[in-house]
Amino acid sequence: MNEKKREPLFHIVKREALSTKDALVLRAVAILLALVLCGIITMITTGISPIEVYKSIILGAFGSTRKTWVTLQSISILLIISLALTPAFKMRFWNIGGEGQVLIGGLASAACMITLSDKLPNAVVIILMIISSILAGAIWGVIPALFKAKWNTNETLSTLMMNYIATQLVAFYTIVWEVPKGSGKIGIINQDSNVGWLPQIFGSKYLLSIVVAVIVTLFMYVYLNYSRHGYEVSVVGESERTAKYVGIKVEKVIIRTMILSGSVCGLAGLLLVGGINHTITTTIAGGQGFTGVLVSWMAKFNPLSMILSSFLIVFMGRGASEISTNFGLNQSFSDILTGIILFFIIGCEFFITYKLKKNHSHTKVRKEEK
């Protein structure tokens, strides 16, 4: 005798679009629950008061004027990289190569600073740095796009491999340009002449990247929401078949979008080398090419929402480092707290999009069995 197949008690259904207010409430609840869990874990494992830990997080990010400016500068760089990746992700082109595109843009800037410092005026060097960084990032982005458009290769693998190539190129030229020889480091480039150092705005060395981030955010918001190119990106992301049906050249959109994505990443590399660090290393991007993926998805590809996402991640990162310093804990503990909070934030996105619904057929089967 065949038994009736037992249905699960709950099943997942897509909910109607939540209002902005309800979505914000859900995210706030998720953050609150994450903080409570972090506090419990902190008490159990270290015996330190959670209040003191949260106080250290805030002071780590905004404890002084300098810390505040550094935090805002870090938010700006992460935001620029996240914005660069967004058009590709909205098109469902999985660009995991932001790290390499930033590195290669930074390498182009460093090359101009090192090789042209004694040959051209400072203003000309800076102009060439801007052009070469944007162009280098664009090339690094368009290579995987060409293979995807022409031969439908896996863009995840190709963009990831481009990261390794960029890293090895930086490593190679670090040895070529190392100062002093044998140090394995380039050091501060043009420290005496400051040739190629990007200009300060209102005398602040932190403000340039913030201004650029504001400009890029506004540009990307308008581009994605109000331009024809942005519309084509959305259509291709929804369905390539539909895009072709309405006359959109999908291959052209892929190539154009990745040129834009790589160019903006190259711009971030320019700011890191010419405006902030004044040197180039294999770790200058600091993993932000990968973190930018998280920021973009958390914000659901909305450039304005990415401001909050970038703020949250940088705030937690800088605050977590302060925990390690103040309480003698290793970096792993602060990473655990950061990971818990991010897990709750990402997890709440599931409940914003879906909901659990009780399966009435399960109840009916249970009654029949009785």
Side-chain angles (χ1 to χ4, degrees):
M1 185 176 179
N2 294 331
E3 293 185 1
K4 291 184 178 179
K5 187 177 179 180
R6 185 170 293 180
E7 296 290 334
L9 180 59
F10 294 97
H11 63 277
I12 299 170
V13 296
K14 193 166 186 176
R15 67 165 78 235
E16 296 179 2
L18 283 179
S19 65
T20 304
K21 181 181 177 181
D22 290 339
L24 286 174
V25 169
L26 263 178
R27 291 187 178 102
V29 170
I31 293 173
L32 181 62
L33 291 174
L35 292 174
V36 170
L37 179 59
C38 287
I40 294 171
I41 292 174
T42 301
M43 283 288 293
I44 293 173
T45 57
T46 67
I48 300 170
S49 167
I51 302 300
E52 292 299 318
V53 171
Y54 297 142
K55 182 180 176 181
S56 291
I57 291 176
I58 295 171
L59 292 177
F62 301 106
S64 66
T65 302
R66 182 183 176 278
K67 285 181 178 179
T68 301
W69 278 113
V70 170
T71 299
L72 293 176
Q73 187 180 63
S74 300
I75 292 170
S76 301
I77 296 297
L78 178 58
L79 178 58
I80 291 170
I81 296 171
S82 305
L83 290 165
L85 300 175
T86 296
F89 283 123
K90 195 167 185 179
M91 187 180 61
R92 296 297 188 265
F93 184 101
W94 313 120
N95 180 15
I96 314 298
E99 193 85 357
Q101 291 153 25
V102 172
L103 273 177
I104 209 69
L107 181 62
S109 290
C112 291
M113 294 171 73
I114 292 169
T115 61
L116 302 176
S117 61
D118 57 348
K119 297 179 178 66
L120 296 171
N122 183 41
V124 178
V125 172
I126 289 176
I127 291 171
L128 291 176
M129 285 169 60
I130 295 170
I131 295 171
S132 62
S133 295
I134 292 174
L135 184 60
I139 292 171
W140 227 246
V142 80
I143 291 173
L146 285 170
F147 280 91
K148 175 69 174 180
K150 300 299 182 184
W151 297 288
N152 196 33
T153 57
N154 187 311
E155 70 274 13
T156 304
L157 290 177
S158 58
T159 52
L160 190 61
M161 290 303 103
M162 295 296 284
N163 289 338
Y164 292 109
I165 297 172
T167 301
Q168 294 308 312
L169 281 172
V170 172
F172 172 79
Y173 281 103
T174 298
I175 302 302
V176 172
W177 296 327
E178 63 183 354
V179 177
K181 288 296 180 183
S183 66
K185 297 179 182 178
I186 294 177
I188 302 300
I189 303 171
N190 301 334
Q191 189 168 9
D192 297 328
S193 63
N194 291 354
V195 173
W197 290 31
L198 298 179
Q200 297 182 2
I201 298 180
F202 302 118
S204 172
K205 62 181 180 180
Y206 303 105
L207 202 54
L208 178 61
S209 58
I210 297 172
V211 171
V212 173
V214 170
I215 294 171
V216 173
T217 302
L218 294 175
F219 165 78
M220 203 63 75
Y221 179 78
V222 173
Y223 178 83
L224 291 175
N225 293 288
Y226 298 104
S227 72
R228 181 173 63 86
H229 288 178
Y231 168 75
E232 290 176 349
V233 166
S234 298
V235 175
V236 172
E238 290 293 329
S239 170
E240 287 191 15
R241 184 176 296 178
T242 302
K244 291 176 180 178
Y245 179 77
V246 298
I248 295 174
K249 295 181 179 179
V250 174
E251 293 80 6
K252 183 179 178 181
V253 174
I254 290 173
I255 292 170
R256 182 181 65 213
T257 303
M258 280 303 293
I259 288 175
L260 174 63
S261 188
S263 297
V264 180
C265 280
L267 178 63
L270 166 73
L271 291 171
L272 285 170
V273 172
I276 299 174
N277 297 293
H278 305 122
T279 189
I280 180 73
T281 66
T282 55
T283 58
I284 197 169
Q288 293 181 100
F290 300 107
T291 308
V293 176
L294 177 62
V295 171
S296 182
W297 277 88
M298 281 175 61
K300 295 184 184 271
F301 313 131
N302 184 332
L304 300 182
S305 298
M306 282 178 213
I307 298 172
L308 181 60
S309 301
S310 300
F311 169 82
L312 181 64
I313 289 178
V314 172
F315 170 72
M316 286 305 305
R318 288 188 58 77
S321 298
E322 189 77 3
I323 296 172
S324 303
T325 303
N326 289 352
F327 301 109
L329 303 172
N330 62 40
Q331 185 66 35
S332 299
F333 184 80
S334 57
D335 289 342
I336 290 171
L337 299 186
T338 303
I340 291 171
I341 292 172
L342 290 178
F343 177 80
F344 271 77
I345 293 170
I346 295 169
C348 83
E349 297 298 324
F350 171 85
F351 294 100
I352 290 174
T353 308
Y354 301 96
K355 63 181 178 180
L356 294 176
K357 188 174 181 181
K358 191 170 183 180
N359 197 335
H360 295 292
S361 60
H362 179 279
T363 307
K364 185 178 179 181
V365 169
R366 294 285 293 177
K367 286 181 179 179
E368 289 176 356
E369 288 178 350
K370 291 179 180 180

